[in-house]
Amino acid sequence: MPDRGKISQEFKMSWEELWSFHNSHCAVYELLPKLLPKYLEYIYIPTDKYEEWQEEQISKTEKIDVNEQQSITYGVLVLQPSSNTKIHYLIHLKKLSEHSISLSREQVFVNDAAPDLVLEKMMDLASTALYPLEISVDEHGAIDKIGNAQEIKSRWKKNTLPSIQQYYAGDVAANLVRKMDSFYEKIDTSPSLLEKDFFLQLFLFLKINLQETSRETADLSIYLPVVPRKITYQTIIGPRNRSASADQMLVEIRGHQKKDYRSTSSVGNISLDISISRRTHAITAITGMLSAEENNQEKQIFVEIYVMNEYI
């Protein structure tokens, strides 16, 4: 039988107040007797009490992360209005230990098609050597080690590089090979080379900062696909001020671009909504917009990232 005392304590209302509110807002067939039935599926409560309860659930969350036994597949969609470009792909994440994860990315599609320009095809092929990618992060969310660096180097030398040299020739191909060869050669000693990966940097920022239990400020430094330099946002992170579903918590990130020597009075903004599973504490959705100033214009991207079983 439901415990009236526990229910009252959970929502910080006396049982009489809860009982009265429920019966004054429910349908006739939902009326509750003074003595609770053996099974209580739901109860109506005031909106302000529910939102207060939601925020407390977030504060009780020790960390927002994938489960020890859990693998997650995200669908990533990035829209770039300035170039009328849509980029989407699937990425698989698996937790290896407390501070390390494995990532595997599938085919990248541009405007719903595989890359068709020669340079795009070569770059797409060159990137396949990177996955699976195993990384470990420090307490600040920075990548401090690539666990399978030697395996990645071997894939590049034995598989990917010969394929590029077999199918592509000329100055463009030679220049790309030189750049990628340098990238893969340094990958074990320079994990920071991965900082231009938009999804990875955003995910690691959220992984660290969503552990906060109240509205906090944090700086996010990230490369956007529409701006050729790192952008830093000053953000405020905290519970979103609207109801979530019974199994999801909502957190919002709001902020603005910090000025640098290239910025004028017009700066970019960040507005992201994050959905988090109450059961697993995993991020299930990231939606919103990021913008930055470039050549006195605001460049925007719109982001939709969903756990695939939530997306379909």
Side-chain angles (χ1 to χ4, degrees), residues 53-272:
W53 173 83
Q54 275 188 304
E55 293 195 13
E56 288 185 356
Q57 302 315 298
I58 293 177
S59 70
K60 293 175 184 176
T61 300
E62 295 180 358
K63 67 191 321 183
I64 296 166
D65 200 356
V66 294
N67 279 354
E68 291 286 353
Q69 312 269 320
Q70 188 178 28
S71 297
I72 294 181
T73 297
Y74 289 106
V76 180
L77 172 65
V78 178
L79 302 174
Q80 303 174 18
S82 59
S83 59
N84 197 29
T85 300
K86 177 174 71 172
I87 299 171
H88 74 274
Y89 54 88
L90 297 181
I91 190 159
H92 309 281
L93 273 69
K94 182 179 182 181
K95 185 170 183 177
L96 303 177
S97 68
E98 185 64 26
H99 299 291
S100 62
I101 57 174
S102 172
L103 304 93
S104 296
R105 193 189 69 191
E106 295 190 18
Q107 172 73 58
V108 175
F109 294 92
V110 180
N111 292 334
D112 298 319
D116 57 356
L117 299 178
V118 172
L119 181 59
E120 290 178 341
K121 286 182 177 180
M122 285 192 295
M123 292 180 65
D124 187 55
L125 177 57
S127 70
T128 60
L130 188 59
Y131 300 99
L133 170 66
E134 297 176 5
I135 62 169
S136 59
V137 298
D138 62 23
E139 60 183 1
H140 304 294
I143 301 171
D144 62 7
K145 183 180 179 182
I146 297 175
N148 62 335
Q150 295 306 314
E151 178 186 324
I152 292 171
K153 282 185 176 185
S154 178
R155 282 200 297 264
W156 166 251
K157 290 290 187 182
K158 294 181 179 180
N159 302 321
T160 312
L161 178 57
S163 294
I164 293 176
Q165 292 172 330
Q166 178 181 357
Y167 293 109
Y168 302 100
D171 292 341
V172 173
N175 186 47
L176 176 66
V177 166
R178 281 194 298 271
K179 289 181 178 179
M180 296 306 298
D181 205 38
S182 175
F183 170 83
Y184 285 116
E185 187 62 34
K186 298 175 182 176
I187 198 165
D188 54 343
T189 57
S190 302
S192 60
L193 291 170
L194 297 174
E195 67 179 4
K196 290 189 177 182
D197 186 308
F198 172 77
F199 170 84
L200 184 56
Q201 292 303 308
L202 179 59
F203 181 83
L204 293 179
F205 171 79
L206 296 175
K207 183 177 183 295
I208 296 299
N209 290 283
L210 288 185
Q211 296 180 32
E212 299 295 343
T213 60
S214 59
R215 300 189 76 84
E216 301 285 347
T217 60
D219 284 354
L220 166 62
S221 294
I222 193 168
Y223 282 89
L224 302 185
V226 291
V227 180
R229 70 183 194 281
K230 183 181 286 188
I231 302 299
T232 299
Y233 298 97
Q234 185 174 21
T235 70
I236 298 176
I237 307 169
R240 190 175 181 190
N241 294 323
R242 75 170 178 82
S243 297
S245 63
D247 61 346
Q248 295 287 313
M249 298 180 286
L250 296 179
V251 173
E252 64 180 17
I253 298 178
R254 302 290 185 265
H256 60 270
Q257 177 188 352
K258 282 188 169 182
K259 291 184 180 180
D260 58 27
Y261 71 96
R262 297 189 184 186
S263 301
T264 62
S265 57
S266 174
V267 295
N269 297 283
I270 179 171
S271 177
L272 296 175

